[in-house]
Amino acid sequence: MSGSQVGQTQLLSPRAAPMSFWLAAARSQAQRAFHGPVHLSGWKASTGVPSARASSAIHAAATEAEAAPVATAAEMNSMTGQEIREAFLRFYEGHGHTRVASASLVPDDPTVLLTIAGMLPFKPIFLGQAPRQHARATSSQKCIRTNDIENVGVTARHHTFFEMLGNFSFGDYFKEQAIQMAWELSTKVFGLPQERIWVSVFEDDQEAFDLWANKVGVPKDRIRRMGAADNFWAAGPTGPCGPCSELYFDFQPELGTRGADLEDDSRFIEFYNLVFMQSNRSPDGELTPLARQNIDTGLGLERMAQILQSVPNNYETDLILPIMDAAAKLAGTSYVQADEAGKTALKVIGDHARAAVYLVSDGVLPSNVGRGYIVRRLIRRIVMKGRLLGIKDSFLQLVAESAIDLAGPCDANVPRSRSRILAELGREEERFRTTLDSGEKVLEDVLSRAAANQPAIVPGADAFFLYDTFGFPLEITQEAASARSMEVDLAGFETAMQEQKKRSKDAVSEVDLTARNSLGEMASELGATTFTGHHDLQGEGQIMALLQDGRPVASASEGSTVEVVLDSTPFYAESGGQMGDQGRLFSVPADASTSDNDTPLGQAVTLRVHDCQKGAGGNLFVHSATVESGEARVGLRVAGEVDHALRLRLRCNHTATHLLQAALKQVLGSDVSQQGSQVATDRLRFDFNAPAALKPAQLERVETLVNEWIQAGDALTTSTMGLEEAKAAGAIAMFGEKYADEVRVVSVPGVSMELCGGTHVDSTSQIGGFKILSEGGISSGVRRIEAVAGPALVDYLNSIDKVVKQLGAQFKTRAEDIPARVAALTDELKSIQKQLAEAQSQAALAKAQAAASEATLTEQGNKVLVKRLDGIDGKSLQEAAAALQSTLGDPAAVVLLSSAGEGKVGMAAAFSPQVVTGGLQAGKFIGGIAKICGGGGGGRPNLAQAGGKDASKLDEAAASALSQLLEQL
């Protein structure tokens, strides 16, 4: 174990330590010994009991708490991240809270770019802008913060993606109940030793201080008063606000209370924050009591996992470690073998992979603006860290697979979106690798030259060359330099940037782009892009602007990734839920009337368009593209050609969402309204308000209606009219869209009429068919349907048909008989497993009884038997140990060991009452013996079970067990 782990483990006495520390310490040690994670659920499976107990004191505490409406501390110690999340939510459900699903990482709140806190979805309620739907709520909210991205992997607890567990009261309970529930959760459900919990309160909040000291019983020397910077929450300069109280876990209690500083991260970790929203702040700063006081809390899932799993940082928990393991394996190493720089790189990959997976799942695609840039930056950091580890091939999809596998309990939509997430991440990685492949040699050159200088500093001009020519973000160059203990001349970089702006300004006299720092500033000079692609998939336009990494450039050479702004385009820019088009741009051959397109012979310009987004308030269409040949430049005239097949898929899925909404209104009622949508090439997603899940018959009816309208083959009509006129005619607005005074109305006669700027089929018959894939809740009162239509439906049916044919061939039966065949095989398997278990149990009992005569009688009259019974499973081994101890009588101690094949080891210990009374405990004893075989375990004082991985040490373990028992008995 590392020094920090040893320190944490040694501080816990057998009577004080919850089982999480003993079992997780063994897990941590075994993990490092075998260079891979030891999943905590495996310990429970191997022991056969809800949770191992470290001592009779812990057992007694668990017994006392068994009457609680949630799992007891003894049952929940050594919890996985999933178990921690569920325990928190079930605890507050048991205290009258309504469980609310995590909101999207893309918030409705226009004041923030991403969901940054657990309370954000409830902010309108707290501010009085929306009525409360529940008096009490609890949630596990996924969050993204990137303000400290440079600290990710460097500190123990900084993350870009994290889960915030929270409980909320909207004018219901207040300070006293919030404090008491937080204490009960921490000490009884999570089993944290009371003497290791510290509390902070706002310096003027005497009420909170008294509640902690007098009601809960926290010693006053473990309660710290802190100032407003740490312990006072406010929504803004004015409005609701109030004091906070935070709970900290102490890793070094032996240092005492005198001089303790809660900001000492090496000793303390803040794990729970309680906000008491009790005042309203006026513009003049005066605080007045709120008529309805609220509670807003946050408990960091990753931090609680670090505590309960007894690991030195959040990254080595089961929430992130498997992702790091996947990356380490690709690098030909392991996390435990990596040096500090390697560990940091793996942590960054683990954290950023989680963040990127969840962001893409929620519809955020890589781009150079806003949320898209955050995803792009995260992906680029992952790729660069992988390169630092020696991973040269594409690897992000493989690492993301691990992140997706872990995401289900947090957000079920992530695994359902697996193919889309992996495809998007793969595309973005390849885009960046195209740049890296050509620029990495230059980077190496730059770093080598800088290393030879005194002092070793990367010149700003070189850093800008990498940025300008190869698209290397400045922070990537800084990180590469830092890995070699060098810095980058930032002032020189900025000087080079300004010089480039001047050169670009001189080169482009038509439009002054270089003095602009954003698309928004360009818009007034560029004018709006004209969209010609509702029906025409080809069209010409002139390049009005080129951008690299958000910065205007005059030209872009072959291999460059750029953003292209045209004055006219057939490419649809993502909006209204519909994804942007893909395709190609080609330079238009010059003619006698213009010299704009004069290019040397054989240097025609082609660009592949990967995406199209709206910029500058929707006026500009921005094409994300790669220059495939020639040199793209401002002023060049190009012909655009949209990918016909992909556009057809989008048209089918988009029209299908209109039909789906109409069907939902018929089946559920006219008050159904769209809450969000996504129209992709492989599927469609539609969010709508509904109080409960749709019944199977309702889903079937919705699907039938949509397919009936498709088969009817009605022609769609489009018209342009005034916004108010359209509303009066009954047109439905699309979620999240902003409309001008003149709007486009898309109608399926007699079925649907919506305001929509998207692209659609000419006739419903072009869709071909529609199939619902899933229906589920995404937040309180909001449901989501995912479906396929058109060519995507054919893809889906082909995949299903392939599976059915494979099963039919395997089972040698017709497709319609497969369900009955599977059911019969399942029943047969259950019967065989039951018979096998009974046979193994009987065999174990028989072997055990035969071994009774081999027991050793000590001088004190204790009977001791240690015996190997190979080939017996854990449950049967435990039953045999209990039966054998009963046969030997009291006092007696029995330890049975077994090699169950594939190197796996099983152990069981059964101690009679007098042996336990004499001070020996089966759980603690067998856990120590199991370490010899690279494992661990535990259980009750009289009966326990353990496992291991190294069967070659089984005889050594048996000899040690016998020696210790004879010595102690």
Side-chain angles (χ1 to χ4, degrees), residues 357-365 397 404 413-427 579 678-683 685 784 786:
V357 160
Y358 280 96
L359 282 166
V360 173
S361 176
D362 280 352
V364 182
L365 300 180
Q397 288 180 317
I404 293 171
N413 290 309
V414 173
R416 285 198 290 264
S417 304
R418 181 185 298 268
S419 60
R420 178 173 59 83
I421 294 169
L422 295 176
E424 189 58 49
L425 294 179
R427 282 193 293 268
M579 291 177 60
Q678 184 180 55
V679 178
T681 55
D682 60 340
R683 68 181 58 206
R685 187 183 75 199
R784 170 173 292 171
E786 291 197 0

Side-chain angles (χ1 to χ4, degrees), residues 441-464:
K441 291 181 179 179
V442 179
L443 172 63
E444 179 62 32
D445 234 19
V446 166
L447 295 176
S448 296
R449 288 200 309 270
N453 297 333
Q454 290 297 330
I457 296 177
V458 176
D462 287 350
F464 181 77

Side-chain angles (χ1 to χ4, degrees), residues 298-315:
L299 183 148
L301 174 63
E302 291 80 7
R303 295 188 177 202
M304 184 54 72
Q306 178 194 344
I307 295 170
L308 292 184
Q309 295 175 18
S310 191
V311 291
N313 55 67
N314 293 0
Y315 295 94

Side-chain angles (χ1 to χ4, degrees), residues 708-762:
E708 286 177 352
W709 293 330
I710 290 173
Q711 293 165 15
D714 292 326
L716 274 71
T717 63
T718 59
S719 58
T720 302
M721 60 182 74
L723 178 59
E724 296 306 317
E725 179 188 357
K727 289 181 178 178
I732 300 171
M734 293 286 285
F735 174 79
E737 278 290 273
K738 295 180 180 179
Y739 298 97
D741 293 336
E742 292 289 320
V743 293
R744 183 170 181 264
V745 179
V746 178
S747 300
V748 180
V751 177
S752 168
M753 183 181 185
E754 296 191 23
L755 306 182
C756 183
T759 64
H760 292 272
V761 296
D762 298 319

